[in-house]
Amino acid sequence: MEPPLYGPKTYDAEPARDPRLVVNSKEPFNAETPPKELVQAFITPSHLFYKRNHGPIPVLNDAERFHLIVDGLVTKPLSLSLDDLKRLPKNSVAVTLQCAGNRRTALNEVKTVKGVGWGLGAVGTAIWGGVFLHRVLELAGIRPGTKCSAAGGRHVEFESVDRCKEEKGGPYRASITLAKACSEDGDVLLAYEMNGEVLPADHGYPLRVVVPGVIGARSVKWLSRVTVRSDESQGFFQQRDYKMFPPSVDWDNIDWGTRQPIMEYPVQCAVCTPAEGQCIRTGSQVTIKGYAMAGGGRSIERIDVSIDDGNSWTEARRLPPSVPETIGKECGEVSAKWCWVLWELDVRLTTPCVIVAKAVDDSANTMPESMSSIWNLRGVLNNSWHR
Amino acid sequence: MEPPLYGPKTYDAEPARDPRLVVNSKEPFNAETPPKELVQAFITPSHLFYKRNHGPIPVLNDAERFHLIVDGLVTKPLSLSLDDLKRLPKNSVAVTLQCAGNRRTALNEVKTVKGVGWGLGAVGTAIWGGVFLHRVLELAGIRPGTKCSAAGGRHVEFESVDRCKEEKGGPYRASITLAKACSEDGDVLLAYEMNGEVLPADHGYPLRVVVPGVIGARSVKWLSRVTVRSDESQGFFQQRDYKMFPPSVDWDNIDWGTRQPIMEYPVQCAVCTPAEGQCIRTGSQVTIKGYAMAGGGRSIERIDVSIDDGNSWTEARRLPPSVPETIGKECGEVSAKWCWVLWELDVRLTTPCVIVAKAVDDSANTMPESMSSIWNLRGVLNNSWHR
Ligand SMILES: [Mo]
Ligand SMILES: [Mo]
């Protein structure tokens, strides 16, 4: 008998997808939001939200039998059905997720990088509905605010049911610290809803983790198990991927053991419209639009835009966060703490011009001017000035 | 009758100072640690720790009569003597303090900035002993973890007794959020000891605030009052100084009201030895030494050093944090979470060479390559690549 939730071996049962998505890889399906759609609305529609996969999309064939296992260094291991989870207090959190590989393709200009190519659309904002992880961990005997459990747990591993080639057909796994998982300010959610509707298959149906302020790689989809451990996940994506390396490290001299897994992402900003290479009549009035955000719940202090390749800068205007009425009814008021800022600037363009954008966060962190100093073999965390 | 703690109007009663300090301004006394002394030890000796003042050093003339006032939007206003404070549980926290103006002088190369000149020595690490602010606020009726008090308090203002010219002879004031003040992880301390000894006059005797991870400007010295408020401090140093501006803003177009006060500082790194302009024989073996740190409790992921003006980079080696035995006995084990990393790199130098250093923090934040993009009229937060 098949398990109630399982990862198929083939791509025969993939869900339907929006034809507007920019497809970077068909199998596994990896696709991003077109830049102009990103800046249409503060909340990204689920069907246009970027899809990041490492294998065929898992299938829930028996919702009654599905249980989330909570185990490891806890005092009371749990097995929770979807109904059990839905009976717990429901919370909605607005979170911008960004793939660590967002803007990867551009890094190839410096030197070839390895990984699925991504433009600037491996990012999106949704309202996620579900139960706070700290509440579930409390049921398992670990109180909110715990950094180290009584049994020595310091990390929380999330396990999926998908079959990843990087894991030789095994499931995707990743972990975060117990401190983040148990923090009442951390807002880590076990989500069963996205934008006021049932979580779509591409986004982890029936259950996923959403870790605010952290690279998307830790927000594990098709969640089947939550394990409290003394050490980090030993999975591929925690130990052999999603780490930071200097430009001097390449495949012939890499030592994965020397680095920490990436968690919070750095300050980021990109121009979405006008599109790259778009023809614009000299002297015409144009509204430049883009996004900016910072990891770890840090806010955006300022967005600077240049239309003369960085010689002079003008500050962009922020658009207020807004939630569609239909979603708002379902989710109530949400904070924009974990979200991007959409911004605009009206300019009169002269040809040829190079538009550049950069942002500063509330801790005065800035974006690097060029890609050469942050190039890395896996092509992650490209937050250079966007031109 | 003079109050028990007061700020004199003249500079006749200044404390004795170490002649090795580099004096940037005599009255008020502003002086920094020589670069080579910075990298001598993980803990900076108090007499060599940078001194940052805005008026004559206050005098405690009657320790018996001194009381710290805790008032504002609290349920139980307090008046605590030094003995009252010392009877509360004592904690020791190792904290690197950095003036927002550290490395200001270099910014003048881009365009003149206003403010006391500082090289790279307006930074230092000490072990501070005292009582956690959240404990004192709890006595005043505000529980740990509070972000908004029952009476609507969201900020905590600290008031000194010094006489600052910027305040037209009034005292230095600054504020932090109530969330940071009440956070048990925030480690905000009311300190009466520095490096295991009584707090020196230059560092706030008898009592100062130490706000870890945040620019030195919020760690108010000669503390006389802690006030919970609905809004930020309206003092000069919160509202008309220590804010971030883009290079395009100068004294003729500044609008202070549009910006947030600076709190956490960005990732920082500097070379301390060899000294700038030092003559070194070609081919000689040299150990480059420096410091690196990030605000907000973020850790240093990596330190990159170049001896060819940034064309190629080598990773520096971190020195383990170490506390002198005499101080360790007094303070017990302390965490290095809020501290700098001292680092070293052995190289063979060829002339003429330009040494450059930069660091990356655990959120992948980097330092800007040049000063031109971060120049600001007050010359704060210079964290460009250090050459
Ligand atoms: Mo990712
Ligand atoms: Mo400062």
Side-chain angles (χ1 to χ4, degrees):
Chain A
M1 190 168 74
E2 288 281 13
L5 175 71
Y6 69 98
K9 288 182 180 165
T10 67
Y11 291 92
D12 300 334
E14 296 285 283
R17 275 120 181 185
D18 193 293
R20 285 170 291 177
L21 288 168
V22 181
V23 180
N24 297 319
S25 143
K26 274 189 172 162
E27 297 181 351
F29 188 74
N30 285 292
E32 65 188 286
T33 317
K36 69 173 183 195
E37 301 292 347
L38 281 177
V39 289
Q40 284 295 315
F42 179 71
I43 300 296
T44 313
S46 304
H47 53 283
L48 289 173
F49 204 98
Y50 76 95
K51 323 288 178 201
R52 175 75 180 106
N53 298 301
H54 295 86
I57 303 301
V59 172
L60 180 70
N61 73 29
D62 188 349
E64 299 296 310
R65 277 199 295 131
F66 171 82
H67 282 77
L68 175 73
I69 304 300
V70 181
D71 62 2
L73 303 172
V74 298
T75 49
K76 288 172 274 178
L78 305 171
S79 171
L80 300 167
S81 70
L82 284 174
D83 279 345
D84 291 338
L85 288 163
K86 288 179 185 171
R87 270 192 296 267
L88 293 170
K90 182 182 160 188
N91 285 85
S92 292
V93 187
V95 177
T96 297
L97 288 182
Q98 179 184 216
C99 177
N102 192 32
R103 300 183 58 202
R104 172 180 288 147
T105 299
L107 288 171
N108 288 307
E109 291 168 28
V110 177
K111 190 176 163 189
T112 304
V113 295
K114 193 167 159 178
V116 176
W118 293 101
L120 51 82
V123 60
T125 301
I127 299 187
W128 308 92
V131 52
F132 281 130
L133 176 58
H134 66 74
R135 287 197 209 275
V136 172
L137 289 172
E138 192 167 11
L139 293 179
I142 300 182
R143 272 201 308 242
T146 302
K147 292 181 187 71
C148 180
S149 77
R154 291 181 181 276
H155 299 269
V156 180
E157 180 177 57
F158 307 118
E159 189 175 302
S160 179
V161 299
D162 57 351
R163 295 168 183 271
C164 304
K165 59 180 187 314
E166 295 88 342
E167 289 281 12
K168 304 187 172 79
Y172 191 102
R173 290 172 290 155
S175 66
I176 62 173
T177 62
L178 186 63
K180 170 79 176 171
C182 289
S183 162
E184 289 177 294
D185 293 336
D187 286 348
V188 180
L189 200 72
L190 302 185
Y192 46 77
E193 283 184 11
M194 180 181 189
N195 291 336
E197 296 175 339
V198 173
L199 194 64
D202 267 333
H203 295 286
Y205 178 74
L207 191 67
R208 74 172 299 172
V209 190
V210 175
V211 187
V214 160
I215 58 166
R218 312 306 170 201
S219 289
V220 176
K221 292 178 283 191
W222 313 292
L223 185 70
S224 65
R225 187 182 290 263
V226 170
T227 307
V228 176
R229 302 167 53 105
S230 58
D231 60 347
E232 288 169 351
S233 171
Q234 294 302 305
F236 179 91
F237 298 97
Q238 193 87 8
Q239 299 299 334
R240 291 285 177 274
D241 198 351
Y242 298 123
K243 291 191 172 188
M244 273 182 260
F245 288 93
S248 57
V249 171
D250 215 329
W251 297 103
D252 52 355
N253 64 349
I254 191 164
D255 178 1
W256 290 97
T258 58
R259 309 287 162 173
Q260 301 303 309
I262 301 168
M263 291 291 160
E264 297 178 1
Y265 51 79
V267 56
Q268 175 69 290
C269 180
V271 175
C272 294
T273 64
E276 216 168 315
Q278 190 179 323
C279 287
I280 290 161
R281 191 188 298 269
T282 295
S284 54
Q285 189 78 25
V286 169
T287 301
I288 303 173
K289 297 183 184 191
Y291 63 76
M293 70 272 185
R298 289 180 287 282
S299 62
I300 293 295
E301 166 72 13
R302 200 176 77 230
I303 299 128
D304 296 326
V305 179
S306 170
I307 57 169
D308 57 5
D309 202 15
N311 284 312
S312 64
W313 300 87
T314 308
E315 217 175 315
R317 156 179 91 242
R318 295 152 187 261
L319 303 182
S322 80
V323 175
E325 208 178 312
T326 48
I327 302 177
K329 255 184 213 151
E330 192 64 38
C331 307
E333 285 248 338
V334 291
S335 149
K337 175 183 178 187
W338 303 108
C339 297
W340 63 12
V341 173
L342 296 185
W343 54 262
E344 290 184 355
L345 183 68
D346 303 315
V347 295
R348 193 171 292 280
L349 293 182
T350 50
T351 44
C353 80
V354 178
I355 301 175
V356 193
K358 62 185 173 75
V360 181
D361 75 14
D362 60 6
S363 303
N365 285 302
T366 54
M367 293 165 49
E369 187 168 339
S370 70
M371 292 185 291
S372 57
S373 65
I374 54 162
W375 182 94
N376 59 89
L377 72 175
R378 276 291 284 114
V380 292
L381 301 175
N382 179 10
N383 73 330
S384 59
W385 292 7
H386 185 239
R387 11 187 132 224
Chain B
M1 191 167 72
E2 287 283 10
L5 175 70
Y6 69 98
K9 288 183 181 165
T10 67
Y11 291 92
D12 302 334
E14 296 285 283
R17 275 123 182 183
D18 193 293
R20 285 169 292 175
L21 288 167
V22 180
V23 179
N24 296 319
S25 142
K26 276 191 171 160
E27 297 182 349
F29 188 75
N30 284 293
E32 64 187 289
T33 316
K36 68 173 186 196
E37 301 292 347
L38 281 178
V39 289
Q40 285 295 315
F42 180 71
I43 300 296
T44 314
S46 304
H47 54 282
L48 289 173
F49 204 98
Y50 77 95
K51 324 287 177 200
R52 175 74 179 109
N53 299 302
H54 294 85
I57 303 301
V59 173
L60 180 69
N61 73 29
D62 188 348
E64 299 296 311
R65 275 199 298 132
F66 172 82
H67 282 78
L68 174 73
I69 304 299
V70 181
D71 63 1
L73 302 172
V74 298
T75 49
K76 288 173 273 178
L78 305 171
S79 171
L80 300 167
S81 70
L82 284 173
D83 280 344
D84 291 339
L85 288 163
K86 287 178 185 171
R87 271 191 294 266
L88 293 171
K90 182 182 161 186
N91 285 85
S92 292
V93 187
V95 177
T96 297
L97 288 182
Q98 178 184 215
C99 178
N102 192 32
R103 300 183 57 201
R104 172 180 287 147
T105 299
L107 287 172
N108 286 308
E109 292 169 27
V110 177
K111 190 176 162 190
T112 305
V113 294
K114 194 167 157 177
V116 176
W118 294 100
L120 51 81
V123 59
T125 301
I127 299 186
W128 308 92
V131 53
F132 280 130
L133 176 58
H134 66 74
R135 288 198 208 274
V136 172
L137 289 172
E138 194 167 11
L139 294 179
I142 300 181
R143 274 202 306 245
T146 302
K147 292 182 185 73
C148 178
S149 77
R154 291 181 181 276
H155 299 269
V156 180
E157 181 177 56
F158 307 119
E159 190 175 303
S160 178
V161 298
D162 58 351
R163 295 168 183 271
C164 305
K165 58 182 186 313
E166 293 89 342
E167 288 282 13
K168 304 189 173 80
Y172 191 101
R173 289 172 291 156
S175 66
I176 62 173
T177 62
L178 186 64
K180 171 80 175 168
C182 289
S183 163
E184 288 177 293
D185 294 336
D187 286 347
V188 180
L189 200 72
L190 302 185
Y192 46 77
E193 282 183 11
M194 180 181 188
N195 290 336
E197 297 177 338
V198 173
L199 194 64
D202 267 334
H203 295 285
Y205 177 74
L207 192 67
R208 74 172 299 172
V209 190
V210 175
V211 187
V214 161
I215 58 167
R218 312 304 172 203
S219 288
V220 176
K221 293 179 283 191
W222 314 291
L223 185 69
S224 65
R225 187 182 290 261
V226 170
T227 306
V228 176
R229 303 167 52 104
S230 59
D231 60 346
E232 289 168 348
S233 170
Q234 295 302 305
F236 179 90
F237 297 98
Q238 193 87 10
Q239 299 299 335
R240 292 286 176 274
D241 199 351
Y242 298 122
K243 292 191 172 187
M244 274 182 259
F245 288 93
S248 58
V249 171
D250 215 330
W251 297 104
D252 52 354
N253 65 349
I254 191 165
D255 178 0
W256 291 96
T258 58
R259 309 286 162 174
Q260 302 301 309
I262 301 167
M263 291 291 160
E264 297 177 2
Y265 51 79
V267 56
Q268 174 70 289
C269 179
V271 175
C272 295
T273 63
E276 215 167 318
Q278 191 180 322
C279 286
I280 291 160
R281 192 186 299 267
T282 295
S284 52
Q285 188 79 25
V286 170
T287 301
I288 303 173
K289 297 184 184 192
Y291 63 77
M293 71 270 186
R298 288 180 288 281
S299 62
I300 293 296
E301 167 72 14
R302 201 176 78 229
I303 299 127
D304 295 326
V305 180
S306 170
I307 57 169
D308 58 7
D309 202 15
N311 285 311
S312 65
W313 299 87
T314 308
E315 219 176 313
R317 153 179 95 242
R318 295 152 187 264
L319 304 181
S322 79
V323 174
E325 208 179 312
T326 49
I327 302 178
K329 256 185 212 152
E330 190 65 38
C331 307
E333 285 246 341
V334 292
S335 148
K337 174 182 176 186
W338 303 108
C339 296
W340 63 14
V341 173
L342 296 185
W343 54 263
E344 290 184 354
L345 184 69
D346 303 316
V347 295
R348 194 171 292 279
L349 291 183
T350 51
T351 43
C353 80
V354 178
I355 301 176
V356 194
K358 62 186 172 77
V360 181
D361 75 15
D362 60 7
S363 302
N365 285 302
T366 55
M367 292 165 48
E369 186 169 339
S370 70
M371 292 185 290
S372 58
S373 66
I374 54 162
W375 182 93
N376 60 88
L377 73 176
R378 277 291 283 115
V380 290
L381 301 175
N382 179 11
N383 73 330
S384 59
W385 293 7
H386 185 237
R387 15 188 129 223

